[in-house]
Short mmCIF file of all heavy atoms in Angstrom, two decimals:
data_model
loop_
_atom_site.label_atom_id
_atom_site.label_comp_id
_atom_site.label_asym_id
_atom_site.label_seq_id
_atom_site.Cartn_x
_atom_site.Cartn_y
_atom_site.Cartn_z
N SER A 14 14.30 3.76 -5.71
CA SER A 14 14.76 4.75 -4.71
C SER A 14 13.81 5.89 -4.52
O SER A 14 13.26 6.38 -5.55
CB SER A 14 16.17 5.09 -4.88
OG SER A 14 16.41 6.03 -5.83
N PRO A 15 13.82 6.57 -3.33
CA PRO A 15 12.99 7.78 -3.22
C PRO A 15 13.52 8.90 -4.18
O PRO A 15 12.67 9.66 -4.73
CB PRO A 15 13.20 8.13 -1.73
CG PRO A 15 13.47 6.84 -1.08
CD PRO A 15 14.22 6.03 -2.16
N GLN A 16 14.81 8.92 -4.37
CA GLN A 16 15.39 10.00 -5.33
C GLN A 16 14.89 9.77 -6.76
O GLN A 16 14.57 10.65 -7.49
CB GLN A 16 16.87 9.93 -5.26
CG GLN A 16 17.45 10.34 -3.92
CD GLN A 16 17.47 9.22 -2.91
OE1 GLN A 16 17.22 8.00 -3.29
NE2 GLN A 16 17.69 9.41 -1.74
N GLU A 17 14.84 8.46 -7.12
CA GLU A 17 14.42 8.20 -8.51
C GLU A 17 12.96 8.52 -8.73
O GLU A 17 12.60 9.10 -9.85
CB GLU A 17 14.60 6.63 -8.81
CG GLU A 17 14.28 6.26 -10.21
CD GLU A 17 14.60 4.82 -10.54
OE1 GLU A 17 15.05 4.10 -9.69
OE2 GLU A 17 14.33 4.30 -11.62
N VAL A 18 12.14 8.17 -7.77
CA VAL A 18 10.64 8.46 -7.82
C VAL A 18 10.51 10.02 -7.97
O VAL A 18 9.68 10.48 -8.72
CB VAL A 18 9.96 7.92 -6.59
CG1 VAL A 18 8.54 8.33 -6.53
CG2 VAL A 18 10.00 6.37 -6.57
N LYS A 19 11.26 10.73 -7.19
CA LYS A 19 11.15 12.22 -7.16
C LYS A 19 11.63 12.69 -8.53
O LYS A 19 10.91 13.58 -9.15
CB LYS A 19 11.98 12.78 -6.08
CG LYS A 19 12.02 14.30 -6.03
CD LYS A 19 10.69 14.86 -5.67
CE LYS A 19 10.82 16.46 -5.58
NZ LYS A 19 9.50 17.08 -5.25
N ARG A 20 12.61 12.24 -9.01
CA ARG A 20 13.20 12.69 -10.43
C ARG A 20 12.21 12.33 -11.50
O ARG A 20 11.90 13.06 -12.32
CB ARG A 20 14.57 12.06 -10.66
CG ARG A 20 15.30 12.59 -11.89
CD ARG A 20 16.66 11.91 -12.15
NE ARG A 20 16.49 10.55 -12.36
CZ ARG A 20 16.98 9.54 -11.60
NH1 ARG A 20 17.52 9.89 -10.43
NH2 ARG A 20 16.85 8.29 -11.85
N GLU A 21 11.73 11.04 -11.41
CA GLU A 21 10.89 10.58 -12.58
C GLU A 21 9.49 11.11 -12.52
O GLU A 21 8.82 11.28 -13.52
CB GLU A 21 10.97 9.03 -12.64
CG GLU A 21 12.27 8.50 -13.00
CD GLU A 21 12.73 8.71 -14.34
OE1 GLU A 21 11.94 8.78 -15.29
OE2 GLU A 21 14.00 8.96 -14.53
N LEU A 22 8.90 11.06 -11.26
CA LEU A 22 7.52 11.36 -11.24
C LEU A 22 7.23 12.69 -10.58
O LEU A 22 6.03 13.14 -10.48
CB LEU A 22 6.82 10.22 -10.41
CG LEU A 22 6.93 8.82 -11.00
CD1 LEU A 22 6.42 7.73 -10.12
CD2 LEU A 22 6.31 8.81 -12.42
N GLY A 23 8.17 13.26 -9.83
CA GLY A 23 7.92 14.49 -9.12
C GLY A 23 7.20 14.25 -7.84
O GLY A 23 6.50 15.16 -7.34
N VAL A 24 7.28 13.16 -7.33
CA VAL A 24 6.49 12.72 -6.01
C VAL A 24 7.48 12.50 -4.92
O VAL A 24 8.57 11.78 -5.05
CB VAL A 24 5.77 11.44 -6.30
CG1 VAL A 24 4.94 11.01 -5.02
CG2 VAL A 24 4.65 11.76 -7.42
N ASP A 25 7.18 13.04 -3.80
CA ASP A 25 8.03 12.69 -2.50
C ASP A 25 7.42 11.50 -1.76
O ASP A 25 6.15 11.52 -1.51
CB ASP A 25 8.10 13.90 -1.66
CG ASP A 25 8.83 15.07 -2.21
OD1 ASP A 25 9.94 14.89 -2.63
OD2 ASP A 25 8.32 16.21 -2.09
N LEU A 26 8.23 10.48 -1.60
CA LEU A 26 7.75 9.29 -0.82
C LEU A 26 7.85 9.69 0.68
O LEU A 26 8.81 10.38 1.14
CB LEU A 26 8.60 8.18 -1.13
CG LEU A 26 8.49 7.63 -2.52
CD1 LEU A 26 9.43 6.39 -2.70
CD2 LEU A 26 7.13 7.28 -2.96
N THR A 27 6.90 9.18 1.47
CA THR A 27 6.88 9.34 2.88
C THR A 27 7.12 7.99 3.59
O THR A 27 6.71 6.97 3.02
CB THR A 27 5.59 10.09 3.37
OG1 THR A 27 4.45 9.19 2.99
CG2 THR A 27 5.40 11.41 2.72
N ASP A 28 7.52 8.10 4.85
CA ASP A 28 7.66 6.93 5.63
C ASP A 28 6.31 6.64 6.35
O ASP A 28 5.83 7.53 7.06
CB ASP A 28 8.83 7.14 6.69
CG ASP A 28 9.00 5.89 7.53
OD1 ASP A 28 8.31 4.94 7.31
OD2 ASP A 28 9.97 5.97 8.43
N PRO A 29 5.73 5.50 6.09
CA PRO A 29 4.34 5.24 6.59
C PRO A 29 4.39 4.93 8.23
O PRO A 29 3.32 4.88 8.74
CB PRO A 29 3.87 4.09 5.92
CG PRO A 29 5.07 3.30 5.61
CD PRO A 29 6.11 4.41 5.29
N ALA A 30 5.53 4.92 8.76
CA ALA A 30 5.65 4.40 10.20
C ALA A 30 4.88 5.44 11.12
O ALA A 30 5.09 6.67 10.96
CB ALA A 30 7.10 4.48 10.65
N GLY A 31 4.10 4.93 11.88
CA GLY A 31 3.25 5.72 12.88
C GLY A 31 2.08 6.48 12.29
O GLY A 31 1.34 7.13 12.94
N GLN A 32 1.72 6.19 11.09
CA GLN A 32 0.59 6.84 10.39
C GLN A 32 -0.51 5.85 10.20
O GLN A 32 -0.29 4.71 9.98
CB GLN A 32 1.03 7.51 9.12
CG GLN A 32 2.05 8.61 9.28
CD GLN A 32 2.46 9.21 7.94
OE1 GLN A 32 1.47 9.42 7.08
NE2 GLN A 32 3.64 9.47 7.70
N ALA A 33 -1.77 6.35 10.22
CA ALA A 33 -2.89 5.58 9.97
C ALA A 33 -3.65 6.18 8.75
O ALA A 33 -3.89 7.35 8.71
CB ALA A 33 -3.80 5.44 11.12
N TYR A 34 -3.99 5.28 7.81
CA TYR A 34 -4.60 5.69 6.50
C TYR A 34 -6.03 5.41 6.43
O TYR A 34 -6.49 4.35 6.86
CB TYR A 34 -3.82 5.19 5.32
CG TYR A 34 -2.41 5.68 5.34
CD1 TYR A 34 -1.26 4.99 5.89
CD2 TYR A 34 -2.07 6.91 4.70
CE1 TYR A 34 -0.05 5.42 5.89
CE2 TYR A 34 -0.74 7.38 4.71
CZ TYR A 34 0.27 6.72 5.26
OH TYR A 34 1.50 7.11 5.33
N ASP A 35 -6.82 6.23 5.70
CA ASP A 35 -8.20 5.99 5.33
C ASP A 35 -8.43 4.91 4.28
O ASP A 35 -9.33 4.28 4.25
CB ASP A 35 -8.92 7.20 4.92
CG ASP A 35 -9.03 8.26 5.98
OD1 ASP A 35 -9.38 7.91 7.06
OD2 ASP A 35 -8.79 9.39 5.71
N ALA A 36 -7.36 4.76 3.41
CA ALA A 36 -7.40 3.84 2.27
C ALA A 36 -5.95 3.32 1.97
O ALA A 36 -5.06 4.04 2.08
CB ALA A 36 -7.96 4.49 1.03
N ILE A 37 -5.90 2.08 1.68
CA ILE A 37 -4.68 1.35 1.23
C ILE A 37 -4.93 0.70 -0.16
O ILE A 37 -5.96 0.00 -0.25
CB ILE A 37 -4.20 0.32 2.21
CG1 ILE A 37 -3.90 0.97 3.57
CG2 ILE A 37 -2.97 -0.40 1.70
CD1 ILE A 37 -3.52 -0.01 4.69
N LEU A 38 -3.98 0.93 -1.06
CA LEU A 38 -4.19 0.62 -2.45
C LEU A 38 -3.06 -0.43 -2.72
O LEU A 38 -1.87 -0.03 -2.69
CB LEU A 38 -4.16 1.82 -3.35
CG LEU A 38 -4.05 1.49 -4.86
CD1 LEU A 38 -5.43 0.92 -5.29
CD2 LEU A 38 -3.73 2.74 -5.65
N PHE A 39 -3.44 -1.75 -3.04
CA PHE A 39 -2.47 -2.73 -3.54
C PHE A 39 -2.48 -2.62 -5.01
O PHE A 39 -3.41 -3.24 -5.57
CB PHE A 39 -2.80 -4.11 -3.01
CG PHE A 39 -2.40 -4.26 -1.50
CD1 PHE A 39 -3.26 -3.82 -0.52
CD2 PHE A 39 -1.24 -4.92 -1.22
CE1 PHE A 39 -2.92 -4.02 0.84
CE2 PHE A 39 -0.91 -5.09 0.13
CZ PHE A 39 -1.71 -4.69 1.16
N ALA A 40 -1.52 -2.07 -5.62
CA ALA A 40 -1.47 -1.93 -7.02
C ALA A 40 -0.28 -2.67 -7.65
O ALA A 40 -0.18 -2.84 -8.86
CB ALA A 40 -1.27 -0.41 -7.45
N VAL A 41 0.64 -3.20 -6.84
CA VAL A 41 1.73 -4.01 -7.34
C VAL A 41 1.88 -5.25 -6.51
O VAL A 41 1.76 -5.18 -5.24
CB VAL A 41 3.05 -3.15 -7.20
CG1 VAL A 41 4.30 -3.89 -7.74
CG2 VAL A 41 2.90 -1.83 -7.96
N ALA A 42 2.11 -6.31 -7.14
CA ALA A 42 2.07 -7.69 -6.41
C ALA A 42 3.49 -8.14 -6.02
O ALA A 42 4.00 -9.17 -6.26
CB ALA A 42 1.48 -8.77 -7.26
N HIS A 43 4.16 -7.13 -5.31
CA HIS A 43 5.65 -7.50 -4.91
C HIS A 43 5.47 -8.52 -3.67
O HIS A 43 4.58 -8.43 -2.85
CB HIS A 43 6.30 -6.13 -4.35
CG HIS A 43 6.68 -5.30 -5.37
ND1 HIS A 43 7.52 -5.57 -6.46
CD2 HIS A 43 6.46 -3.94 -5.49
CE1 HIS A 43 7.64 -4.50 -7.23
NE2 HIS A 43 6.99 -3.52 -6.78
N ASP A 44 6.48 -9.36 -3.71
CA ASP A 44 6.50 -10.37 -2.69
C ASP A 44 6.36 -9.77 -1.20
O ASP A 44 5.76 -10.33 -0.33
CB ASP A 44 7.60 -11.29 -2.69
CG ASP A 44 7.71 -12.25 -3.97
OD1 ASP A 44 6.57 -12.46 -4.53
OD2 ASP A 44 8.69 -12.71 -4.45
N GLU A 45 7.15 -8.70 -0.99
CA GLU A 45 7.12 -8.10 0.34
C GLU A 45 5.69 -7.66 0.80
O GLU A 45 5.40 -7.79 1.95
CB GLU A 45 8.04 -6.87 0.31
CG GLU A 45 9.37 -7.12 -0.08
CD GLU A 45 9.63 -6.89 -1.60
OE1 GLU A 45 9.41 -5.78 -2.13
OE2 GLU A 45 9.86 -7.91 -2.32
N PHE A 46 4.97 -7.22 -0.15
CA PHE A 46 3.55 -6.72 0.13
C PHE A 46 2.68 -7.92 0.50
O PHE A 46 1.88 -7.90 1.33
CB PHE A 46 3.01 -5.86 -0.95
CG PHE A 46 3.66 -4.55 -1.23
CD1 PHE A 46 3.80 -4.02 -2.45
CD2 PHE A 46 4.24 -3.88 -0.12
CE1 PHE A 46 4.45 -2.83 -2.63
CE2 PHE A 46 5.01 -2.67 -0.38
CZ PHE A 46 5.05 -2.17 -1.65
N LEU A 47 2.81 -8.94 -0.43
CA LEU A 47 2.02 -10.15 -0.21
C LEU A 47 2.27 -10.92 1.09
O LEU A 47 1.31 -11.36 1.78
CB LEU A 47 2.23 -11.05 -1.42
CG LEU A 47 1.86 -10.47 -2.82
CD1 LEU A 47 2.20 -11.57 -3.85
CD2 LEU A 47 0.48 -9.96 -2.81
N ALA A 48 3.59 -10.95 1.44
CA ALA A 48 3.89 -11.72 2.60
C ALA A 48 3.36 -10.87 3.90
O ALA A 48 3.20 -11.58 4.97
CB ALA A 48 5.35 -11.87 2.70
N ASP A 49 3.28 -9.70 3.79
CA ASP A 49 2.92 -8.76 4.96
C ASP A 49 1.54 -8.11 4.74
O ASP A 49 1.19 -7.26 5.62
CB ASP A 49 4.08 -7.70 5.10
CG ASP A 49 4.00 -7.09 6.50
OD1 ASP A 49 3.62 -7.81 7.42
OD2 ASP A 49 4.34 -5.89 6.48
N GLY A 50 0.74 -8.64 3.85
CA GLY A 50 -0.51 -7.85 3.50
C GLY A 50 -1.44 -7.63 4.76
O GLY A 50 -1.84 -6.50 5.04
N GLY A 51 -1.73 -8.68 5.48
CA GLY A 51 -2.64 -8.59 6.58
C GLY A 51 -2.08 -7.69 7.68
O GLY A 51 -2.84 -6.79 8.17
N SER A 52 -0.84 -7.90 8.01
CA SER A 52 -0.41 -6.97 9.12
C SER A 52 -0.07 -5.65 8.60
O SER A 52 -0.22 -4.77 9.45
CB SER A 52 0.89 -7.68 9.79
OG SER A 52 1.99 -7.62 8.98
N LEU A 53 0.32 -5.51 7.39
CA LEU A 53 0.43 -4.05 6.81
C LEU A 53 -0.87 -3.33 6.99
O LEU A 53 -0.79 -2.17 7.34
CB LEU A 53 0.92 -4.21 5.38
CG LEU A 53 1.18 -2.94 4.73
CD1 LEU A 53 2.54 -2.90 3.95
CD2 LEU A 53 0.18 -2.56 3.72
N ILE A 54 -1.84 -3.96 6.60
CA ILE A 54 -3.28 -3.35 6.67
C ILE A 54 -3.59 -2.97 8.13
O ILE A 54 -3.94 -1.83 8.45
CB ILE A 54 -4.41 -4.25 6.05
CG1 ILE A 54 -4.15 -4.38 4.61
CG2 ILE A 54 -5.76 -3.64 6.38
CD1 ILE A 54 -4.89 -5.46 4.00
N SER A 55 -3.43 -3.91 9.08
CA SER A 55 -3.70 -3.61 10.45
C SER A 55 -2.80 -2.48 11.07
O SER A 55 -3.20 -1.77 11.93
CB SER A 55 -3.76 -4.88 11.26
OG SER A 55 -2.51 -5.50 11.39
N ARG A 56 -1.54 -2.50 10.71
CA ARG A 56 -0.54 -1.52 11.23
C ARG A 56 -0.84 -0.11 10.57
O ARG A 56 -0.57 0.91 11.35
CB ARG A 56 0.88 -1.95 10.90
CG ARG A 56 1.41 -2.99 11.79
CD ARG A 56 2.89 -3.15 11.71
NE ARG A 56 3.56 -2.86 10.29
CZ ARG A 56 3.72 -3.80 9.31
NH1 ARG A 56 3.43 -5.07 9.52
NH2 ARG A 56 4.26 -3.50 8.18
N HIS A 57 -1.20 0.02 9.37
CA HIS A 57 -1.20 1.32 8.73
C HIS A 57 -2.58 1.74 8.32
O HIS A 57 -2.76 2.94 8.02
CB HIS A 57 -0.36 1.27 7.46
CG HIS A 57 1.15 1.06 7.72
ND1 HIS A 57 1.88 1.93 8.52
CD2 HIS A 57 1.91 0.03 7.43
CE1 HIS A 57 3.10 1.45 8.57
NE2 HIS A 57 3.12 0.23 7.99
N GLY A 58 -3.68 1.01 8.50
CA GLY A 58 -4.99 1.35 8.16
C GLY A 58 -5.75 1.71 9.37
O GLY A 58 -5.60 1.06 10.46
N LYS A 59 -6.65 2.77 9.25
CA LYS A 59 -7.58 2.99 10.35
C LYS A 59 -8.67 1.90 10.55
O LYS A 59 -8.62 1.00 9.56
CB LYS A 59 -8.28 4.34 10.03
CG LYS A 59 -7.32 5.62 9.98
CD LYS A 59 -8.15 6.84 9.67
CE LYS A 59 -7.23 8.07 9.74
NZ LYS A 59 -7.83 9.31 9.36
N PRO A 60 -9.27 1.84 11.51
CA PRO A 60 -10.21 0.75 11.82
C PRO A 60 -11.23 0.55 10.60
O PRO A 60 -11.64 -0.57 10.29
CB PRO A 60 -10.97 1.08 13.07
CG PRO A 60 -9.95 1.96 13.86
CD PRO A 60 -9.27 2.73 12.79
N ASP A 61 -11.62 1.67 10.05
CA ASP A 61 -12.62 1.55 8.94
C ASP A 61 -11.88 1.69 7.53
O ASP A 61 -12.51 2.16 6.52
CB ASP A 61 -13.77 2.53 9.13
CG ASP A 61 -13.13 3.99 9.17
OD1 ASP A 61 -12.02 4.11 9.52
OD2 ASP A 61 -14.17 4.85 9.23
N CYS A 62 -10.65 1.51 7.45
CA CYS A 62 -9.86 1.52 6.29
C CYS A 62 -10.47 0.82 5.00
O CYS A 62 -10.93 -0.27 5.19
CB CYS A 62 -8.41 1.09 6.56
SG CYS A 62 -7.32 1.21 5.14
N VAL A 63 -10.44 1.53 3.88
CA VAL A 63 -10.90 0.83 2.72
C VAL A 63 -9.65 0.33 2.02
O VAL A 63 -8.68 0.90 1.81
CB VAL A 63 -11.62 1.86 1.72
CG1 VAL A 63 -11.97 1.26 0.39
CG2 VAL A 63 -12.86 2.40 2.38
N VAL A 64 -9.66 -0.94 1.64
CA VAL A 64 -8.56 -1.70 1.02
C VAL A 64 -8.83 -2.05 -0.43
O VAL A 64 -9.86 -2.82 -0.61
CB VAL A 64 -8.15 -2.84 1.83
CG1 VAL A 64 -7.02 -3.62 1.12
CG2 VAL A 64 -7.77 -2.56 3.23
N TYR A 65 -8.18 -1.45 -1.37
CA TYR A 65 -8.39 -1.64 -2.74
C TYR A 65 -7.28 -2.76 -3.29
O TYR A 65 -6.12 -2.44 -3.13
CB TYR A 65 -8.21 -0.43 -3.61
CG TYR A 65 -9.28 0.54 -3.37
CD1 TYR A 65 -8.99 1.61 -2.43
CD2 TYR A 65 -10.54 0.51 -3.92
CE1 TYR A 65 -10.01 2.57 -2.19
CE2 TYR A 65 -11.54 1.53 -3.70
CZ TYR A 65 -11.24 2.43 -2.73
OH TYR A 65 -12.12 3.42 -2.56
N ASP A 66 -7.71 -3.81 -3.76
CA ASP A 66 -6.73 -4.79 -4.23
C ASP A 66 -6.82 -4.86 -5.78
O ASP A 66 -7.66 -5.63 -6.36
CB ASP A 66 -7.02 -6.14 -3.69
CG ASP A 66 -6.03 -7.35 -4.14
OD1 ASP A 66 -5.02 -7.01 -4.65
OD2 ASP A 66 -6.38 -8.41 -3.77
N LEU A 67 -5.98 -4.09 -6.44
CA LEU A 67 -6.12 -3.99 -7.94
C LEU A 67 -5.55 -5.24 -8.63
O LEU A 67 -5.83 -5.37 -9.72
CB LEU A 67 -5.37 -2.80 -8.37
CG LEU A 67 -6.00 -1.37 -7.84
CD1 LEU A 67 -5.15 -0.23 -8.44
CD2 LEU A 67 -7.46 -1.31 -8.20
N LYS A 68 -4.77 -6.02 -7.92
CA LYS A 68 -4.05 -7.19 -8.56
C LYS A 68 -4.79 -8.50 -8.24
O LYS A 68 -4.58 -9.55 -8.70
CB LYS A 68 -2.67 -7.34 -8.20
CG LYS A 68 -1.81 -6.21 -8.73
CD LYS A 68 -1.71 -6.33 -10.17
CE LYS A 68 -0.77 -5.31 -10.81
NZ LYS A 68 -0.58 -5.47 -12.15
N GLY A 69 -5.67 -8.35 -7.26
CA GLY A 69 -6.53 -9.60 -6.84
C GLY A 69 -5.63 -10.63 -6.10
O GLY A 69 -5.81 -11.75 -6.29
N VAL A 70 -4.68 -10.11 -5.30
CA VAL A 70 -3.74 -11.11 -4.69
C VAL A 70 -3.94 -11.23 -3.22
O VAL A 70 -3.33 -12.25 -2.69
CB VAL A 70 -2.29 -10.62 -4.93
CG1 VAL A 70 -1.96 -10.63 -6.41
CG2 VAL A 70 -2.10 -9.17 -4.48
N LEU A 71 -4.76 -10.49 -2.56
CA LEU A 71 -4.93 -10.61 -1.10
C LEU A 71 -5.90 -11.76 -0.89
O LEU A 71 -6.80 -12.03 -1.71
CB LEU A 71 -5.42 -9.29 -0.53
CG LEU A 71 -4.52 -8.13 -0.53
CD1 LEU A 71 -5.19 -6.92 0.03
CD2 LEU A 71 -3.26 -8.45 0.31
N PRO A 72 -5.73 -12.34 0.21
CA PRO A 72 -6.74 -13.45 0.62
C PRO A 72 -8.15 -12.87 0.72
O PRO A 72 -8.34 -11.77 1.07
CB PRO A 72 -6.19 -13.96 1.86
CG PRO A 72 -4.81 -13.58 1.99
CD PRO A 72 -4.71 -12.33 1.27
N ALA A 73 -9.12 -13.67 0.57
CA ALA A 73 -10.54 -13.39 0.58
C ALA A 73 -10.82 -12.71 1.99
O ALA A 73 -10.36 -13.12 2.96
CB ALA A 73 -11.39 -14.57 0.44
N GLY A 74 -11.53 -11.65 1.96
CA GLY A 74 -11.85 -10.94 3.11
C GLY A 74 -10.91 -9.78 3.57
O GLY A 74 -11.27 -9.03 4.44
N GLN A 75 -9.75 -9.68 2.99
CA GLN A 75 -8.83 -8.72 3.46
C GLN A 75 -9.00 -7.43 2.64
O GLN A 75 -8.67 -6.34 3.09
CB GLN A 75 -7.32 -9.09 3.25
CG GLN A 75 -6.85 -10.03 4.31
CD GLN A 75 -5.35 -10.22 4.23
OE1 GLN A 75 -4.71 -10.00 3.35
NE2 GLN A 75 -4.76 -10.78 5.35
N ALA A 76 -9.57 -7.47 1.45
CA ALA A 76 -9.87 -6.30 0.56
C ALA A 76 -11.33 -5.92 0.65
O ALA A 76 -12.14 -6.71 0.68
CB ALA A 76 -9.36 -6.52 -0.78
N THR A 77 -11.44 -4.54 0.61
CA THR A 77 -12.79 -4.04 0.53
C THR A 77 -13.24 -4.21 -0.84
O THR A 77 -14.43 -4.58 -1.17
CB THR A 77 -12.90 -2.57 0.96
OG1 THR A 77 -12.31 -2.41 2.25
CG2 THR A 77 -14.32 -2.05 0.94
N ILE A 78 -12.41 -3.93 -1.76
CA ILE A 78 -12.75 -3.90 -3.24
C ILE A 78 -11.54 -4.73 -3.91
O ILE A 78 -10.38 -4.43 -3.74
CB ILE A 78 -12.82 -2.60 -3.84
CG1 ILE A 78 -13.99 -1.89 -3.27
CG2 ILE A 78 -13.04 -2.73 -5.33
CD1 ILE A 78 -14.14 -0.46 -3.58
N SER A 79 -11.85 -5.73 -4.75
CA SER A 79 -10.83 -6.48 -5.44
C SER A 79 -11.09 -6.63 -6.83
O SER A 79 -12.32 -6.84 -7.23
CB SER A 79 -10.80 -7.94 -4.75
OG SER A 79 -9.49 -8.54 -4.88
N LEU A 80 -10.17 -6.47 -7.74
CA LEU A 80 -10.35 -6.64 -9.17
C LEU A 80 -9.95 -8.05 -9.60
O LEU A 80 -9.18 -8.74 -9.01
CB LEU A 80 -9.55 -5.62 -9.94
CG LEU A 80 -9.96 -4.15 -9.67
CD1 LEU A 80 -9.07 -3.24 -10.52
CD2 LEU A 80 -11.48 -3.92 -10.05
#
């Protein structure tokens, strides 16, 4: 929950709706992210968005950098 993240890490979570990002980092292989990976990138990334796939779970071509 956002409250738990704030309490444990001191970080405020934001709602990504309507925002465009320079970079998107896939660091956790949750089913929700995997099922929505391509459209999540197109909805929230700028046209030249850098996509880091730290888990190596996105299909070929969707990530700029994959581990």
Side-chain angles (χ1 to χ4, degrees):
S14 76
Q16 296 82 9
E17 183 180 0
V18 170
K19 178 66 174 179
R20 184 180 67 249
E21 296 291 325
L22 303 174
V24 175
D25 291 312
L26 296 180
T27 61
D28 182 359
Q32 297 183 40
Y34 295 96
D35 294 315
I37 296 175
L38 174 69
F39 282 84
V41 181
H43 291 302
D44 291 338
E45 305 88 68
F46 297 145
L47 300 179
D49 197 29
S52 73
L53 181 131
I54 294 166
S55 63
R56 281 194 326 270
H57 297 295
K59 292 181 179 177
D61 56 349
C62 177
V63 175
V64 179
Y65 296 96
D66 180 12
L67 299 182
K68 293 292 185 177
V70 296
L71 292 176
Q75 283 192 347
T77 308
I78 299 169
S79 207
L80 298 180

